Amino acid sequence: MFRKIFVGLIASMLITMGVGAFSLAQAKETESLRVRAQLNIAILIQDDLTSQVGNELGVTRDFIRSLPTGSRVMVGYITSGTLQVRQPFTTDLNQAANSLRIPIASTSASPFTPYVEVIDALKKFDPRWKGHNAVLLISDGLDTSHGFDSSSAGHTLDIDRTISEAGKRDVAIFSFYAPSVGLTSRSQLAASYGQSSLNRVSHDTGGAAFFQGTTGFVTFDSYYTRLREQLNRQYATAS
């Protein structure tokens, strides 16, 4: 009888230790996925992206709320050639997270190019602020302002202007690819064009582009994990 009680106590202790070790490991993993450096970040969402993007509002809100205290966040939507600012730059992360809405997911909201509105957003960064400046552009990246010519992917006038403006203001542009309800949801060529454009804008401004394939829709969970890792590599050691 005593032996059974003793064995039971040992087993209970081992389980408790195992749960404790798991909780500690989980806490360390969660901490490693937090952005560690303060950011001034504009989150820009193209309004004609497919309806599945609306399902990613939760992880986007979580990302905003997980930013370090003192970070500034702006939320804007690129719609029909206009930048609709839902939330001007604020340090109230919860308020910024709550300003997110589901994209319209209609061609009535389609811009000819998202990059003109990105330039508008770049001009809202205050040069007096301290900290690192970034844009998170959630877009299909397609610029059809001068027609659809796949040979000019990543090298349109508006893309060049975006890169130049970001350089003047020391803003790195990070991008998530998602298809719109227009060409990029129907044409692999258009999707590839858009991804090439996002890749150049992000690369040439010191950011990074995240996408997986040219067909279907991939959730943003892995994108945000990789984005946090990238931001920590770039900024945490320099802060």
Side-chain angles (χ1 to χ4, degrees):
M1 182 70 175
F2 176 77
R3 183 180 179 184
K4 287 183 178 179
I5 294 173
F6 179 75
V7 170
L9 287 171
I10 293 297
S12 178
M13 288 173 61
L14 290 172
I15 290 171
T16 301
M17 289 171 64
V19 170
F22 175 76
S23 298
L24 182 60
Q26 193 174 44
K28 287 182 177 178
E29 182 180 2
T30 300
E31 182 61 28
S32 70
L33 292 179
R34 292 181 67 87
V35 178
R36 297 193 288 273
Q38 286 184 357
L39 291 177
N40 307 309
I41 185 168
I43 297 176
L44 309 178
I45 301 172
Q46 193 171 310
D47 224 356
D48 66 332
L49 299 180
T50 56
S51 59
Q52 291 94 326
V53 173
N55 299 329
E56 307 306 306
L57 293 186
V59 291
T60 304
R61 290 190 180 106
D62 289 344
F63 170 76
I64 293 172
R65 290 175 177 138
S66 72
L67 292 171
T69 301
S71 294
R72 296 178 182 85
V73 180
M74 182 181 90
V75 174
Y77 285 76
I78 295 170
T79 179
S80 301
T82 302
L83 176 64
Q84 181 191 94
V85 177
R86 291 274 295 179
Q87 174 59 59
F89 276 106
T90 179
T91 55
D92 187 332
L93 302 181
N94 195 55
Q95 182 173 307
N98 288 337
S99 71
L100 290 168
R101 64 163 173 77
I102 296 173
I104 293 173
S106 167
T107 54
S108 65
S110 297
F112 288 113
T113 172
Y115 301 107
V116 171
E117 285 68 53
V118 174
I119 293 170
D120 288 344
L122 289 169
K123 293 177 180 178
K124 297 183 183 299
F125 282 82
D126 190 330
R128 296 169 296 179
W129 291 341
K130 295 181 180 179
H132 306 286
N133 299 321
V135 164
L136 173 56
L137 173 61
I138 302 174
S139 169
D140 69 354
L142 192 62
D143 181 352
T144 59
S145 56
H146 300 287
F148 177 47
D149 177 8
S150 59
S151 65
S152 64
H155 295 279
T156 66
L157 177 61
D158 291 324
I159 288 174
D160 290 341
R161 289 175 58 226
T162 299
I163 293 168
S164 176
E165 191 68 33
K168 290 177 186 175
R169 297 172 185 275
D170 195 24
V171 181
I173 299 176
F174 299 84
S175 56
F176 291 177
Y177 169 80
S180 70
V181 294
L183 276 174
T184 48
S185 63
R186 303 190 302 270
S187 165
Q188 288 191 39
L189 181 62
S192 177
Y193 178 115
Q195 290 179 0
S196 295
S197 297
L198 291 176
N199 193 54
R200 186 189 168 215
V201 167
S202 292
H203 178 271
D204 286 10
T205 60
F210 303 97
F211 46 83
Q212 294 180 4
T214 56
T215 59
F217 181 80
V218 181
T219 64
F220 290 160
D221 297 81
S222 65
Y223 290 1
Y224 277 115
T225 297
R226 291 158 60 197
L227 175 61
R228 288 184 178 98
E229 292 171 349
Q230 182 69 31
L231 290 170
N232 286 337
R233 277 196 300 269
Q234 283 187 215
Y235 300 139
T237 56
S239 298

